[in-house]
RNA sequence: GUGAGUGUAGCUCAGUUGGUUAGAGUACUGGGCUGUGGUCCCAGGCGUCGAGGGUUCGAAUCCCUUCACUCACCCCA
């Protein structure tokens, strides 16, 4: 029989990585709920149209990276490549704009993009997604960045950089695009083929290019940051003041742009040098027009997504001290009668208990106990049965003690046992 | 989608200019120690050498095809 393996880019999350995922989830909930966010869960599958309209028709994600298929009834469906679109859909579908002035939501789960996998990039990957609807003021931009630093602090992530920029609003972007196209058109021959194509479709993205020629040209080009309208400039300046008050110290990167069309004004990325080519493990920004463009009222929004796989890569190994572990070793059929009663008694008192399903020699059971990091082994055989006791051995020191063989009192006695 | 690199035991990897029965470490199981783990010693099982085809008396080794993984590009969390 041929073995069946998981699909390319679809992985099992296990071992240390799984523990880190749980820590990310726990810390996320703790931090975000403190700031008034509530957790929601939204579908993985949506109508393709939702993503086309929110992310943008001409983005790479929509053009070539979505898992899209035709359903039995002819609808085009897509596995979500990011979470914001679905959260906006939820916001409108539940009419949250009519029920509360500000909505603070977060969600977590798998996302899907049909890309070639590499370090820190997979076809199914996981994000924690955080969104605020209904607040245009720069204080929430600052608050989000501050929450991010608290979260990374709590997860003991030390070496990272927060990059911030403003990409302006409609009012300042259209005139700027014309300037940009004018600038690059003069030097079109020097651009790489990709960027020659980008020039008319999405000129802002030329700044993302890694080809040396385009980087050189980009150094001299006009920047959106230098052509912000008055309101956008004021927003950004207030943001920097608030960031200082929060004690957040970002890097201002005038060249930072994002791959999704809906961003306005504040955009940011958190990067780590340990991640290889995909150095951003968190990214987000403001999207003041998205809700309206999705058919809702004019409601501003801002949010970010954390790439859990990438974050896990830069988290140090967890050293959470777990409770003491116990192991039950049995010799002989008579002793085996105590197995289930003892296991039940300890588990009911929340004491971690393991055993060998097929107890052979005591030696083999001791090896088993040792291999799983047991702190105390309880030994029960003929001798103990005769004396009416159970032996408890401290696996670190080798010292042993005797306790009465009485399942109703055993758990309590173990909890108060002092055995150096 | 493009490029490069790598596929040999559960894991990490040796394997000479093609040569007989493919190895080591680790892990696992058992024993030395008949009721006591870790250290030590001994023993044991394990492989369709990624898959398919070709060259050859003979292929893990050379050639072709294919698949998978990894890294990078594009782009992105």
């Amino acid at each position: 029989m041929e073995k069946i393996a998981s699909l390319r880019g679809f992985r099992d999350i296990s071992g240390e990585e799984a523990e880190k995922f749980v820590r990310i989830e726990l810390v996320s909930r703790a931090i975000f709920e403190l700031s008034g966010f509530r957790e929601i869960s939204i579908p993985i599958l949506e109508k393709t149209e939702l993503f086309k309209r929110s992310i943008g028709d001409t983005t790479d994600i929509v053009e070539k990276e979505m898992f899209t298929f035709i359903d039995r009834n002819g609808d085009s469906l897509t596995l979500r490549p990011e979470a914001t679109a679905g959260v906006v859909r939820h916001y409108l579908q539940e009419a949250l704009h009519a029920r509360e002035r500000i909505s603070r939501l977060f969600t977590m789960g798998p996302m899907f993009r049909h890309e070639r996998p590499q370090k820190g990039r997979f076809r199914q990957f996981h994000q924690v997604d955080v969104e605020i609807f209904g607040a245009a003021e720069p204080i929430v931009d600052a608050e989000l960045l501050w929450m991010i630093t608290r979260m990374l602090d709590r997860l003991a992530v030390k070496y990272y950089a927060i990059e911030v920029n403003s990409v302006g609003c409609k009012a300042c972007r259209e005139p700027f695009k014309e300037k940009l196209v004018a600038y690059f058109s003069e030097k079109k021959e020097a651009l790489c083929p990709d960027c020659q194509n980008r020039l008319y479709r999405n000129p802002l993205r030329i700044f993302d290019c890694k080809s040396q020629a385009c980087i050189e040209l980009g150094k001299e080009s006009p920047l959106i940051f230098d052509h912000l309208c008055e309101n956008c400039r004021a927003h950004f300046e207030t943001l920097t003041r608030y960031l200082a008050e929060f004690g957040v110290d970002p890097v201002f990167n005038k060249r930072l742009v994002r791959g999704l069309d809906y961003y306005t004004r504040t955009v940011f990325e958190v990067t780590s040098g340990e991640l290889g080519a995909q150095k951003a493990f968190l990214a987000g920004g403001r999207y003041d027009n998205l809700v309206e463009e999705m058919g809702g009222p004019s409601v501003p929004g801002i949010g970010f997504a954390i790439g859990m796989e990438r974050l896990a890569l830069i988290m140090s190994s967890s050293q959470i001290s777990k409770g003491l572990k116990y192991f039950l070793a049995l010799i002989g059929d008579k002793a085996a009668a105590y197995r289930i009663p003892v296991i039940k008694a300890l588990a009911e008192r929340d004491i971690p208990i393991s055993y060998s399903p097929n107890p052979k020699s005591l030696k083999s059971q001791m090896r088993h106990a040792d291999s799983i990091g047991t702190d105390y082994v309880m030994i029960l055989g003929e001798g103990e049965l005769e004396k009416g006791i159970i032996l408890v051995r401290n696996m670190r020191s080798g010292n042993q003690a005797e306790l009465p063989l009485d399942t109703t009192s055993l758990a309590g006695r173990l909890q108060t046992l002092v055995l150096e």
Side-chain angles (χ1 to χ4, degrees), chain A residues 163-167 204-209 214-226 252-258 267 269:
Chain A
E163 297 184 32
V164 179
N165 191 26
S166 174
V167 294
L204 289 170
R205 301 274 288 288
I206 293 174
F207 297 124
D208 260 349
C209 187
C214 301
I215 290 174
E216 288 301 318
L217 285 176
K219 281 180 183 169
E220 303 292 321
S221 85
L223 295 170
I224 179 73
F225 185 83
D226 297 321
F252 295 103
N253 178 0
K254 290 183 179 184
R255 290 192 161 66
L256 180 66
V257 289
R258 316 254 56 254
V267 295
E269 251 179 35

Side-chain angles (χ1 to χ4, degrees), chain A residues 181-189 199:
Chain A
V181 173
Y183 169 82
F184 280 118
S185 295
E186 281 177 27
K187 305 175 167 67
K188 189 175 176 184
E189 298 310 313
L199 182 52

Side-chain angles (χ1 to χ4, degrees), chain A residues 52-100:
Chain A
K52 284 192 175 172
R53 272 167 60 186
S54 60
I55 298 168
D57 260 351
T58 62
T59 55
D60 280 24
I61 291 178
V62 170
E63 280 189 339
K64 53 182 197 185
E65 291 171 4
M66 296 204 302
F67 278 95
T68 296
F69 62 94
I70 303 298
D71 190 26
R72 288 166 190 269
N73 62 9
D75 290 339
S76 178
L77 306 181
T78 294
L79 286 168
R80 61 182 186 191
E82 58 106 48
T84 302
V87 176
V88 170
R89 198 219 74 247
H90 167 86
Y91 178 82
L92 292 175
Q93 195 166 328
E94 298 296 316
L96 293 183
H97 53 90
R99 309 214 306 225
E100 55 192 15

Side-chain angles (χ1 to χ4, degrees), chain A residues 240-415:
Chain A
T240 60
R241 271 213 325 277
Y242 288 152
L243 284 173
E245 274 192 64
F246 273 117
V248 178
D249 185 24
V251 176
F252 295 103
N253 178 0
K254 290 183 179 184
R255 290 192 161 66
L256 180 66
V257 289
R258 316 254 56 254
L260 286 65
D261 280 353
Y262 53 65
Y263 286 109
T264 54
R265 292 191 169 168
T266 312
V267 295
F268 51 90
E269 251 179 35
V270 185
T271 59
S272 164
E274 296 170 60
L275 286 174
Q278 281 67 235
K279 63 195 179 91
F281 62 90
L282 184 158
R286 180 163 279 288
Y287 44 86
D288 288 341
N289 306 317
L290 179 60
V291 174
E292 188 169 12
E293 281 164 10
M294 296 300 289
S298 175
V299 173
I302 181 168
F304 65 87
I306 302 166
M308 293 176 69
E309 282 83 357
R310 291 183 186 177
L311 178 54
L313 278 174
I314 57 173
M315 281 167 60
S316 47
S317 308
S318 54
Q319 280 153 1
I320 301 165
S321 63
K322 289 167 184 153
L324 294 174
K325 289 165 117 178
Y326 292 78
F327 189 96
L328 180 60
L330 299 165
I331 308 143
D333 293 338
K334 285 182 191 157
Y338 282 86
R339 180 157 58 177
I340 289 171
V342 169
I343 290 166
K344 280 177 66 182
L346 298 212
E348 278 160 11
R349 295 287 288 265
D350 294 336
I351 298 174
I353 176 71
S354 304
Y355 63 96
S356 291
N358 54 344
K360 295 177 192 166
S361 65
L362 180 59
K363 182 196 192 78
S364 73
Q365 294 181 73
M366 293 299 285
R367 279 187 180 165
H368 182 177
D370 186 59
S371 72
I372 60 175
T374 301
D375 299 289
Y376 291 96
V377 174
M378 287 167 285
I379 300 169
L380 185 60
E382 296 286 335
E384 287 75 18
L385 284 172
E386 277 172 25
K387 287 163 71 179
I389 56 111
I390 188 164
L391 213 53
V392 182
R393 177 183 178 86
N394 180 323
M395 292 294 275
R396 201 174 302 278
S397 66
N399 294 331
Q400 302 190 159
E402 296 180 353
L403 291 179
L405 181 52
D406 167 22
T407 48
T408 55
S409 70
L410 183 59
R413 288 177 193 275
L414 281 174
Q415 283 173 321

Side-chain angles (χ1 to χ4, degrees), chain A residues 16-36:
Chain A
E16 198 172 281
E17 189 181 21
E19 287 176 22
K20 288 177 177 176
F21 267 50
V22 170
R23 271 168 69 210
I24 293 170
E25 290 167 8
L26 286 173
V27 171
S28 294
R29 291 188 172 111
I31 297 280
F32 301 142
E33 283 173 6
L34 267 180
S35 293

Side-chain angles (χ1 to χ4, degrees), chain A residues 80-270:
Chain A
R80 61 182 186 191
E82 58 106 48
T84 302
V87 176
V88 170
R89 198 219 74 247
H90 167 86
Y91 178 82
L92 292 175
Q93 195 166 328
E94 298 296 316
L96 293 183
H97 53 90
R99 309 214 306 225
E100 55 192 15
R101 20 169 68 162
I102 294 180
S103 299
R104 292 173 171 247
L105 305 171
F106 74 100
T107 187
M108 37 185 116
M111 309 294 156
F112 305 84
R113 289 183 202 171
H114 195 115
E115 295 182 282
R116 200 65 171 263
Q118 63 189 79
K119 187 178 176 70
R121 173 198 287 173
F122 310 100
R123 290 186 172 179
Q124 175 174 336
F125 58 102
H126 298 78
Q127 290 186 339
V128 179
D129 186 78
V130 181
E131 314 283 355
I132 300 178
F133 297 95
E137 292 73 16
I139 189 165
V140 298
D141 307 28
E143 184 194 2
L144 281 183
L145 289 163
W146 167 69
M147 277 172 33
I148 288 163
T149 64
R150 290 177 58 213
M151 182 185 175
L152 295 177
D153 222 41
R154 191 77 75 87
L155 290 171
V157 175
K158 292 205 173 72
Y159 305 105
Y160 64 87
I162 300 180
E163 297 184 32
V164 179
N165 191 26
S166 174
V167 294
C169 63
K170 274 182 189 162
C172 38
R173 214 182 300 184
E174 285 312 315
F176 170 73
K177 268 190 191 174
E178 285 171 26
K179 281 193 188 123
L180 196 64
V181 173
Y183 169 82
F184 280 118
S185 295
E186 281 177 27
K187 305 175 167 67
K188 189 175 176 184
E189 298 310 313
L191 288 171
C192 72
D194 278 332
C195 284
Q196 293 191 15
N197 189 25
R198 285 186 190 122
L199 182 52
Y200 300 106
R201 289 182 20 178
N202 207 340
L204 289 170
R205 301 274 288 288
I206 293 174
F207 297 124
D208 260 349
C209 187
K210 272 118 190 157
S211 103
Q212 200 55 42
C214 301
I215 290 174
E216 288 301 318
L217 285 176
K219 281 180 183 169
E220 303 292 321
S221 85
L223 295 170
I224 179 73
F225 185 83
D226 297 321
H227 294 79
L228 294 179
C229 67
E230 215 159 293
N231 288 339
C232 287
R233 172 149 300 279
H235 184 97
F236 188 81
E237 279 169 4
T238 311
L239 168 62
T240 60
R241 271 213 325 277
Y242 288 152
L243 284 173
E245 274 192 64
F246 273 117
V248 178
D249 185 24
V251 176
F252 295 103
N253 178 0
K254 290 183 179 184
R255 290 192 161 66
L256 180 66
V257 289
R258 316 254 56 254
L260 286 65
D261 280 353
Y262 53 65
Y263 286 109
T264 54
R265 292 191 169 168
T266 312
V267 295
F268 51 90
E269 251 179 35
V270 185

